[in-house]
Amino acid sequence: MSQPSALPATDLNRRSFMTGTVSAVAAVPLLGSPAKAETAGRSDTGPREPAVTSLRINKQPYELSLDPRTSLLDALRDHAGLTGTKKGCDHGQCGACTVLVDGKRVLSCLSFAVMNGGKEVTTIEGLSSTDGVLHPMQQAFVDHDAFQCGYCTPGQIMSAIGCVNEGHAGSEDDIREFMSGNICRCAAYPNIVAAIIQARDETKGA
Amino acid sequence: MRPFVYEQPTNISAAVALASRFTNSDDAPTRANAQFIAGATNLADYMKLGVAQPDRLVDLNRLAEPALRQIRITDDGIRFGALVRMGEAADNSEVKRRYPVVAGSLKLAASGQIRNMASLAGNVLQRTRCEYFRETSWPCNKRVPGSGCAAMEGFNRQHAVLGASDACIATYHGDFAQALIALDAVVHAEGSRGARKIPFAKLHRRPGDTPHIETDLAADEIITAIEVPAIPWARRSLYLKIRDRESYAFALASAAVALDLDGDKVREARIALGGVATVPWRARTAEQALQDKALDEASAKAAAEAAFADAEPRRDNAFKIELGKRTLVRALLETRDMKV
Amino acid sequence: MDAAAPKPKENMGEPLPRIDARLKVTGQAHYPADLPTANIAYGALATSSIAKGRVTKLHLDDARAVPGLLDIVTYGDMDKFERPKFGNTGATSIGPLHDRTIFHDGQIIALAVAETFEAAEEAAQLIRADYEEEKPTASFDSPGTKTIPAAGKSPLFKEDVKAGDFEAAYAAAPVKIDQRYSTPTQHHNPIELFSTTAMWEGDRLIVHEPSQNVTGWKVELARQLKIDPARVRIVSPYIGGAFGSKGPMTTRTAIVAVAAKRLGRPVRCVTSRMQAFGTQTYRAETRHRIRIGAGKDGRITAFAHEGWEVTSRPDAYVVGGTSATGRMYDYGSVLTHVSLVQADRNTPGYMRSPPETPYVYALENAMDEMAVALGMDPVEFRRINEPKTEPIGKKPFSSRSLIQCYEQAADAFGWAKRDPKVGAMRDGDWLIGMGCATAIYPTAAAPCAARVRLTVDGGVRVQCSSHEIGTGVRTVAAQMAAERLGAGIDKVEVEMGDSSLPPAPVSGGSISTASVCSAVLKACDAIRTKLFAAATGEGSSLAGSHNEELDVRGGKIVAKSGASAKVEDVFKTMQVGAIEEYAEFAPKSATPQALKKLYAGQPEFHGGESDEESVKYAFGAEFVEVRVNSYTKEIRVPRIVGAFAAGRIMNTRTARSQLMGGMIWGIGQALHEATEVDRRYARYVNRDLQDYLVPVNADIKDLQVILVPEVDHAVNPAGVKGLGELGNVGTAAAVASAVYHATGKRIRDLPIRIEQLIT
């Protein structure tokens, strides 16, 4: 079990949620079909009813039947099978779970998945092109050894892309300040700053 | 976490109606069955910890009213829609130009990601980060009224020296609110009893005997906008935040300062203090102490003494009195020296 | 060349990018909690809210009523299994569910298992306990502590070292100091949460859990569950930061395994960050008294280091750093004593440079005080007390490049421009201070096995159960194999982190690179021997060449004469498609049982001060600049330079990163890190990353690492000294010295915070 098996693209089985066979089978990229309208008001349902949430993850439509308490982070990891996004504190204190929602970097642990109906989520798995060419930010992290254990790295990379897109990577001091929501316990900080500068300059020219 | 029903109303009156239907009119908003959620950065955290236990979440993010998402700049000032995110407001060039204290308080708060998520209204309503409040196995009057306060004689380095009561010494940790209270901002709210305006200084309540009642809002009342009046001289303003590390930490002490100067003489000063008080803290006695005085280190120190005259230290937070004074002195002098 | 990839100097390897870098930047490096498992159930812990007493009743009805709840494992359910053991592989002897006694805050009282994570969390939060509570003892100075001598309580801390007549020398010394220092409780807080995923396949148990010691855990978990170790497999391919926290197995692992057995389903339990403070180990708080006496010429004549350390009631965990501090300088006379102070706390454990971080902090802060007392430059003070042999056993150092480190770091830092007068350097409202300190870490190695296979297409596979905790051990093992077998690094694949692979020692004590590379080297050399034997056979182009004249490069066996033979052709001669060798490395001083103990998960450590012919340490010198605001007294470290010598550097890129990370850890220890204990209840207060502060990106500005060339053939066959724990030793003392230089205030209790400077 050192590598994940290919995730089967089965139809959503709502009962699978309640019977718990969640992790490996609930990933449901609905290839080619449009995402359904987001969940409507549910005043007449009980709190334990699963909520169906439609959203796009890395340009693929997903329809997930979730306990409303499910964080976007757990939805990605346990229900969509995208474990690249990491849980480091589950309380918005470390940044390891950073993803882009509609292009903006956010903490997926502090957002309930149901709040993201109809939105476009980008995770670390959605960055490199299908032919395997790394995103300039990924390549820059490799070039500058911007990690050691690698656990905070997906969050750092997503945050770094957000930081550049926001226009907050103008100077080294700006990068340090605007990347301070991503804790790296191995403390690769100087290398992370160098990587962001490289990727910023490359993408500027592109 | 307690299970909840998730609601997505599409306009303000529907949101109010939902909250109204599922809460009692005298519920404290923080203890109501139905609670509003926007950025989720504070409420989701406290729901996971079991501190907040709503059984119904009313998500405000689908409300259609465009003004909720707009920053409008007029001759009367700036009107921030309640759902504007902290990051957007901090980056707004007019906010930075007209009210450096507002932009600064937003930029120095939390992290880039949290500022992208957190709404302005939610931010001013954020609840304390007191460690004893966060962990449900401790007694806490704010979390469970009447259960006691573990912080009072416990580890209270980050706790308040101003505005505390025998029931609660938890600090209000927000930054933005200090700028708003200093500039006499006004909060627009809408609830089942209609729309109203609340002076920012009246929004938060000191803990007193009821630390679980944190604001003047009813459980079915939504903040729709925050208005900052036009103050031309607020260009001479700043937010100074002192913390243990350089970024992503709560204030040990902070000061929001705006100065109307005639040469080096103070026509009017606006001062609010963060990290040291139980609520956003306007330091009016310090403002008065500076009125018509030349602003120098001596007068700044006198104002700081006035600001902390009623401060009450506990075992681990006594340094905050001296730090708070020094923070204010430094903020005043740096504001004086701003090139505007 | 950019800063991340320093140009190799003498005895240094190329700064190759990590071979797993691509996996790490694409989210494809799978950490134990990432591995998908069909039909998984989720576990959540319930923990005690008191530190001492007994659980008289558990209220489980509310939890059982949660829809989706599958099982609750609690008192009685572990009775037929063995209790945990405290020692090299076990974090504590406290078996939390074996009886109802509560030894510490946050002790596990139940595990709730449910269909979903959300249901398990909800159920665990609904579990309530009634307690018979006793007044707990929190730490030093609390009523009810028991103080015992540390010597002999741990196999790693046998004695209080001493030399000469300290009392007489100290009494006679014209210049002396006598000061006390302290360091707080600290928690590792790796960003990866602690987790266990247990699954049974018939009578075989597979556990996915971040571990620095898969072989040791396999044996210990099998012992607790009373099954054959051969039926247990621990899988930990990538570890999201460890720093010692994932070295000893904690009590959760067996409980989750039992839950999985009862349910007949895989169970995953990810511990919350708050719960980790009570269920994992931590760095014990320490106190120190240091006395130094010296002549007016600055030569030290007397050194005494007394230490006190908090531990739990049942387990005598020893920090014990006097072995290193007692050998640091040419003291003349040495007196040391370490005491354990037992309190109602969870058992402490190893945290990055466990003994040296607190003990060298105290020594080096005292050395700076002594330099001030002597009116001497602190670098010069160290230089004149540089020893020829270590002062305890009078053994030589296998190598010691401390003075070179000081010279190179001082030069790069611009130490000569420092005005030694206190408070003399300033930039506007900011006071500037500069300080320095020595870093030291013992060089050890342990037995290790590795399997290497060379295939006819030039591919190399290395297998070893060592652990990739971020050190780059996968990469340096690949480099070693690539170099010895003449393969491109892209042709080498490395499998690690699985107890079914050849056993490796615990990845702790900075031994991994030396131990793993020595085993890989040995396996590769066995392959070379086979290749050379075949290549030099009669009639071949290399016939008659001796092995020492041969090398493998670029797919060819090359002789010094210039003659060569294609490896591919040698394989043909041998009529094989692959050559595979299994090698076992044991340090020179290993006992005859050393290899047997490796397979039993009890590796012997050799090196440091324990070898006969010499003592073995790596050294460094660190210089910091601090800035302290003259009004508000916040302290920042905008600049830090460290120079380190650690024998052969396998890869300058990964070496620099480790040292850099260590130096930043040191800054955190100086200014940020402390777990606060509520002394009334012996409970941790700031149990998350909001309140347990570590440095963030904005805290670190100008950081420079200098790798000082050093050759040391005595340490191990690879010539490698570990450096994962060297970088954060001494840093906090350098910061404390710089704060003194800026402000005139000598802070002796860590962390150094605003409140210590403002009043």
Side-chain angles (χ1 to χ4, degrees):
Chain A
M1 272 311 293
S2 64
Q3 293 294 318
S5 52
L7 294 161
T10 59
D11 285 330
L12 176 73
N13 175 354
R14 278 202 200 189
R15 287 181 55 210
S16 72
F17 161 69
M18 295 313 284
T19 54
T21 51
V22 171
S23 177
V25 298
V28 195
L30 301 172
L31 293 167
S33 68
K36 286 185 190 161
E38 59 271 16
T39 319
R42 310 175 55 250
S43 295
D44 19 352
T45 65
R48 294 195 188 271
E49 290 287 312
V52 178
T53 302
S54 302
L55 71 173
R56 291 171 63 83
I57 308 171
N58 301 330
K59 304 198 171 107
Q60 298 287 325
Y62 281 73
E63 189 174 282
L64 302 172
S65 176
L66 301 169
D67 185 319
R69 293 174 290 183
T70 310
S71 67
L72 177 59
L73 171 60
D74 288 332
L76 292 170
R77 289 178 55 81
D78 292 345
H79 299 269
L82 296 168
T83 56
T85 307
K86 296 293 185 267
K87 186 183 283 193
C89 71
D90 216 18
H91 290 275
Q93 301 163 353
C94 76
C97 67
T98 303
V99 298
L100 303 181
V101 173
D102 290 345
K104 289 204 155 174
R105 52 180 176 154
V106 300
L107 300 176
S108 60
C109 76
L110 284 186
S111 184
F112 293 111
V114 287
M115 295 174 73
N116 293 276
K119 300 207 185 237
E120 176 81 45
V121 180
T122 309
T123 72
I124 191 76
E125 290 94 341
L127 287 185
S128 42
S129 58
T130 44
D131 58 2
V133 176
L134 295 178
H135 184 283
M137 192 64 78
Q138 292 173 310
Q139 186 60 50
F141 269 62
V142 173
D143 293 345
H144 292 272
D145 205 39
F147 48 84
Q148 290 179 47
C149 79
Y151 193 81
C152 73
T153 309
Q156 297 277 0
I157 289 173
M158 299 314 291
S159 188
I161 291 169
C163 180
V164 171
N165 289 347
E166 289 163 14
H168 290 140
S171 66
E172 288 190 20
D173 277 345
D174 266 359
I175 293 169
R176 289 184 191 110
E177 168 60 32
F178 283 88
M179 287 300 292
S180 281
N182 292 81
I183 293 176
C184 174
R185 189 60 162 144
C186 302
Y189 297 129
N191 293 2
I192 291 168
V193 174
I196 294 173
I197 289 170
Q198 175 181 312
R200 175 200 69 191
D201 293 348
E202 274 175 20
T203 45
K204 225 188 240 166
Chain B
M1 191 189 303
R2 189 174 173 187
F4 60 84
V5 174
Y6 174 71
E7 308 271 12
Q8 283 182 306
T10 52
N11 59 62
I12 294 172
S13 50
V16 169
L18 266 172
S20 208
R21 184 174 151 201
F22 292 104
T23 57
N24 300 316
S25 56
D26 53 351
D27 281 344
T30 55
R31 297 174 59 77
N33 291 332
Q35 295 187 18
F36 299 116
I37 191 163
T41 55
N42 199 235
L43 187 54
D45 178 24
Y46 280 138
M47 287 171 68
K48 288 182 186 202
L49 291 169
V51 171
Q53 302 199 323
D55 61 18
R56 189 164 298 264
L57 276 191
V58 181
D59 184 351
L60 303 179
N61 290 299
R62 310 279 162 168
L63 301 187
E65 289 85 348
L68 290 168
R69 290 177 191 79
Q70 289 168 354
I71 301 174
R72 281 215 304 253
I73 293 155
T74 66
D75 291 346
D76 299 331
I78 291 195
R79 188 180 184 283
F80 293 103
L83 291 176
V84 171
R85 264 47 189 178
M86 292 171 75
E88 185 194 343
D91 281 349
N92 183 288
S93 57
E94 282 303 301
V95 175
K96 285 199 260 194
R97 196 170 70 85
R98 293 173 190 233
Y99 306 97
V101 65
V102 172
S105 71
L106 289 164
K107 185 190 163 185
L108 295 176
S111 68
Q113 293 95 313
I114 291 174
R115 293 193 295 267
N116 280 348
M117 298 174 80
S119 70
L120 293 180
N123 178 257
V124 302
L125 297 175
Q126 73 172 298
R127 309 190 69 194
T128 184
R129 308 287 175 152
C130 168
E131 299 97 328
Y132 296 96
F133 171 74
R134 286 178 67 76
E135 219 277 69
T136 54
S137 64
W138 294 104
C140 171
N141 289 320
K142 188 186 272 296
R143 184 168 21 79
V144 183
S147 61
C149 173
M152 203 73 71
E153 305 298 331
F155 175 71
N156 45 34
R157 177 175 186 260
Q158 55 119 320
H159 288 75
V161 293
L162 292 168
S165 71
D166 291 342
C168 183
I169 57 170
T171 300
Y172 175 83
H173 284 98
D175 298 297
F176 181 43
Q178 315 305 339
L180 295 176
I181 198 169
L183 298 179
D184 283 336
V186 172
V187 170
H188 293 247
E190 229 174 293
S192 59
R193 278 167 285 189
R196 63 173 176 144
K197 290 191 206 175
I198 309 167
F200 198 85
K202 302 252 189 233
L203 180 65
H204 292 84
R205 290 195 192 173
R206 293 198 198 182
D209 296 333
T210 53
H212 62 288
I213 302 174
E214 298 177 355
T215 68
D216 196 47
L217 294 171
D220 64 2
E221 227 173 357
I222 301 172
I223 294 179
T224 56
I226 299 168
E227 217 167 68
V228 182
I231 305 174
W233 47 268
R235 288 183 191 182
R236 184 182 295 286
S237 70
L238 61 73
Y239 186 70
L240 176 64
K241 182 174 182 180
I242 307 301
R243 38 190 168 173
D244 283 315
R245 65 184 177 197
E246 184 68 14
S247 184
Y248 201 20
F250 297 109
L252 292 168
S254 71
V257 169
L259 292 175
D260 183 11
L261 293 182
D262 177 8
D264 63 357
K265 208 175 88 180
V266 177
R267 271 198 217 107
E268 186 173 353
R270 299 286 186 83
I271 298 171
L273 302 171
V276 293
T278 54
V279 289
W281 193 263
R282 179 82 175 262
R284 290 187 191 274
T285 53
E287 294 173 4
Q288 284 150 17
L290 286 169
Q291 187 81 42
D292 301 323
K293 302 262 169 53
L295 179 55
D296 54 21
E297 192 153 345
S299 62
K301 276 184 176 166
E305 288 299 327
F308 285 88
D310 298 328
E312 289 182 86
R314 313 294 310 183
R315 190 190 68 201
D316 303 312
N317 67 359
F319 75 100
K320 279 192 172 185
I321 298 176
E322 181 63 22
L323 178 63
K325 290 177 191 170
R326 287 163 176 257
T327 302
L328 179 52
V329 170
R330 187 176 149 194
L332 284 166
L333 297 178
E334 287 184 11
T335 310
R336 180 195 65 184
D337 297 340
M338 282 175 79
K339 303 265 178 289
V340 295
Chain C
M1 193 169 276
D2 74 80
K7 197 169 183 306
K9 300 175 214 166
E10 185 199 352
N11 201 27
M12 295 183 193
E14 288 297 318
L16 298 180
R18 292 165 198 268
I19 61 169
D20 45 18
R22 189 186 172 89
L23 292 177
K24 287 184 175 181
V25 299
T26 53
Q28 299 306 312
H30 294 292
Y31 300 80
D34 296 342
L35 298 170
T37 302
N39 198 27
I40 200 164
Y42 292 82
L45 297 174
T47 57
S48 75
S49 59
I50 68 160
K52 188 180 189 184
R54 273 181 64 77
V55 173
T56 53
K57 187 172 168 51
L58 271 187
H59 301 273
L60 302 175
D61 291 351
D62 289 350
R64 289 200 201 283
V66 170
L69 193 276
L70 295 169
D71 195 7
I72 296 175
V73 181
T74 185
Y75 299 112
D77 298 331
M78 299 297 289
D79 287 357
K80 59 182 171 188
F81 304 106
E82 296 288 340
R83 284 170 184 269
K85 257 190 199 166
F86 169 67
N88 286 339
T89 47
T92 178
S93 65
I94 297 164
L97 300 183
H98 281 82
D99 70 55
R100 290 167 174 257
T101 310
I102 298 293
F103 289 91
H104 61 84
D105 172 37
Q107 185 174 316
I108 296 170
I109 58 174
L111 171 74
V113 185
E115 295 285 358
T116 65
F117 172 73
E118 292 76 26
E121 288 285 312
E122 181 188 358
Q125 286 182 354
L126 290 170
I127 293 172
R128 295 271 178 273
D130 293 340
Y131 301 101
E132 199 173 272
E133 199 173 346
E134 294 172 54
K135 181 90 187 142
T137 297
S139 182
F140 297 126
D141 306 332
S142 300
T145 55
K146 188 176 163 201
T147 302
I148 57 171
K153 296 291 188 300
S154 155
L156 297 176
F157 192 77
K158 297 191 180 76
E159 57 172 354
D160 288 323
V161 297
K162 59 181 183 212
D165 185 349
F166 165 80
E167 298 294 349
Y170 186 71
V175 183
K176 56 182 117 182
I177 62 159
D178 179 355
Q179 289 294 356
R180 289 173 184 267
Y181 306 85
S182 74
T183 67
T185 304
Q186 296 173 338
H187 279 77
H188 314 75
N189 279 306
I191 298 301
E192 180 189 31
L193 293 170
F194 299 98
S195 72
T196 304
T197 304
M199 49 207 290
W200 292 84
E201 288 173 359
D203 64 353
R204 300 177 68 83
L205 170 63
I206 300 172
V207 172
H208 297 281
E209 178 165 344
S211 170
Q212 292 170 264
N213 188 6
V214 291
T215 305
W217 289 23
K218 174 184 79 173
V219 176
E220 171 61 13
L221 185 59
R223 187 194 66 76
Q224 288 183 27
L225 298 175
K226 300 201 223 181
I227 57 178
D228 180 352
R231 281 159 45 198
V232 177
R233 185 176 159 209
I234 311 284
V235 185
S236 191
Y238 287 91
I239 296 101
F243 316 112
S245 65
K246 294 160 183 170
M249 193 175 79
T250 64
T251 56
R252 178 191 62 249
T253 309
I255 295 169
V256 177
V258 166
K261 184 80 179 174
R262 281 156 63 108
L263 275 178
R265 259 171 88 168
V267 174
R268 171 169 298 158
C269 174
V270 178
T271 310
S272 76
R273 187 150 297 274
M274 272 190 172
Q275 289 174 333
F277 280 71
T279 58
Q280 300 291 138
T281 62
Y282 61 97
R283 192 195 294 284
E285 55 263 59
T286 67
R287 285 182 173 177
H288 308 262
R289 179 189 184 196
I290 290 194
R291 285 170 286 170
I292 304 177
K296 289 199 171 127
D297 59 357
R299 286 185 190 281
I300 300 173
T301 54
F303 170 68
H305 193 163
E306 293 159 87
W308 293 263
E309 310 161 356
V310 168
T311 188
S312 66
R313 293 279 183 201
D315 304 322
Y317 176 80
V318 182
V319 180
T322 45
S323 172
T325 60
R327 292 178 168 87
M328 183 83 103
Y329 300 111
D330 191 12
Y331 297 118
S333 62
V334 177
L335 180 72
T336 67
H337 186 66
V338 176
S339 302
L340 300 181
V341 176
Q342 294 175 316
D344 298 308
R345 297 277 298 279
N346 49 329
T347 304
Y350 308 110
M351 181 163 159
R352 202 171 192 174
S353 8
E356 289 75 18
T357 294
Y359 277 78
V360 174
Y361 156 70
L363 165 62
E364 289 297 291
N365 203 353
M367 285 294 284
D368 195 72
E369 294 206 63
M370 196 64 192
V372 170
L374 287 158
M376 187 174 276
D377 177 82
V379 177
E380 185 57 21
F381 181 47
R382 271 114 177 159
R383 186 195 306 275
I384 66 170
N385 287 293
E386 178 70 1
K388 295 220 162 44
T389 57
E390 54 91 10
I392 306 299
K394 309 293 179 205
K395 288 185 262 187
F397 291 86
S398 65
S399 58
R400 178 174 167 123
S401 309
L402 177 61
I403 298 303
Q404 291 92 315
C405 291
Y406 264 107
E407 283 168 354
Q408 294 190 28
D411 192 42
F413 183 80
W415 183 253
K417 292 186 205 127
R418 172 183 184 258
D419 181 341
K421 215 171 111 229
V422 163
M425 302 182 79
R426 219 182 149 107
D427 178 7
D429 287 340
W430 293 84
L431 305 167
I432 297 174
M434 296 179 180
C436 62
T438 302
I440 180 173
Y441 196 80
T443 297
C448 184
R451 188 187 295 122
V452 179
R453 185 177 71 190
L454 175 67
T455 43
V456 65
D457 61 359
V460 177
R461 186 187 68 181
V462 176
Q463 294 177 307
C464 172
S465 74
S466 189
H467 320 84
E468 180 53 89
I469 55 178
T471 54
V473 67
R474 253 202 188 84
T475 302
V476 297
Q479 275 179 279
M480 179 57 88
E483 181 190 304
R484 298 306 287 171
L485 299 178
I489 191 83
D490 56 328
K491 299 286 270 181
V492 185
E493 95 188 75
V494 180
E495 292 175 23
M496 283 189 177
D498 187 328
S499 65
S500 62
L501 298 171
V506 55
S507 289
S510 296
I511 61 161
S512 285
T513 298
S515 309
V516 171
C517 285
S518 293
V520 171
L521 173 68
K522 196 169 171 185
C524 291
D525 285 356
I527 292 173
R528 284 164 65 105
T529 303
K530 281 196 175 162
L531 281 176
F532 294 166
T536 55
E538 240 172 87
S540 74
S541 57
L542 297 170
S545 299
H546 294 289
N547 281 5
E548 49 277 17
E549 298 164 1
L550 298 172
D551 196 7
V552 193
R553 283 199 300 266
K556 285 179 184 167
I557 298 169
V558 188
K560 277 213 177 105
S561 62
S564 70
K566 280 187 178 170
V567 172
E568 202 183 327
D569 293 337
V570 180
F571 269 86
K572 266 185 213 152
T573 313
M574 296 171 75
Q575 293 192 319
V576 296
I579 306 173
E580 184 168 272
E581 286 292 333
Y582 186 101
E584 295 170 321
F585 159 74
K588 220 163 45 175
S589 43
T591 68
Q593 299 81 38
L595 286 166
K596 189 179 168 197
K597 284 159 76 182
L598 169 68
Y599 289 84
Q602 300 290 333
E604 290 178 355
F605 277 40
H606 291 276
E609 76 291 341
S610 68
D611 288 354
E612 282 302 315
E613 74 290 355
S614 62
V615 294
K616 301 175 173 70
Y617 291 94
F619 289 92
E622 298 188 29
F623 288 73
V624 303
E625 175 185 318
V626 305
R627 292 185 172 227
V628 180
N629 188 276
S630 58
Y631 284 102
T632 41
K633 305 294 182 190
E634 67 264 43
I635 312 155
R636 302 289 182 254
V637 182
R639 206 156 66 86
I640 178 165
V641 177
F644 305 91
R648 178 174 179 192
I649 302 298
M650 290 295 300
N651 178 324
T652 55
R653 175 193 299 260
T654 55
R656 173 186 172 274
S657 279
Q658 274 192 280
L659 291 163
M660 173 178 83
M663 289 157 71
I664 296 171
W665 260 60
I667 292 171
Q669 278 153 355
L671 302 179
H672 306 304
E673 290 190 39
T675 308
E676 308 292 349
V677 183
D678 188 312
R679 302 184 64 90
R680 300 166 299 174
Y681 304 103
R683 300 190 65 195
Y684 298 127
V685 180
N686 56 334
R687 303 193 300 169
D688 56 25
L689 291 172
Q690 168 191 296
D691 294 309
Y692 185 96
L693 296 188
V694 300
V696 294
N697 205 317
D699 286 302
I700 306 305
K701 297 202 161 61
D702 185 356
L703 181 147
Q704 191 183 347
V705 176
I706 299 166
L707 299 170
V708 176
E710 184 181 70
V711 178
D712 188 335
H713 295 301
V715 279
N716 50 58
V720 165
K721 294 179 177 179
L723 38 68
E725 296 171 273
L726 183 60
N728 58 311
V729 178
T731 322
V735 173
S737 303
V739 167
Y740 172 79
H741 180 229
T743 66
K745 284 207 174 192
R746 177 67 61 178
I747 308 301
R748 302 185 180 90
D749 303 314
L750 294 183
I752 306 168
R753 286 182 174 158
I754 286 177
E755 52 263 49
Q756 288 157 297
L757 296 181
I758 207 154
T759 43

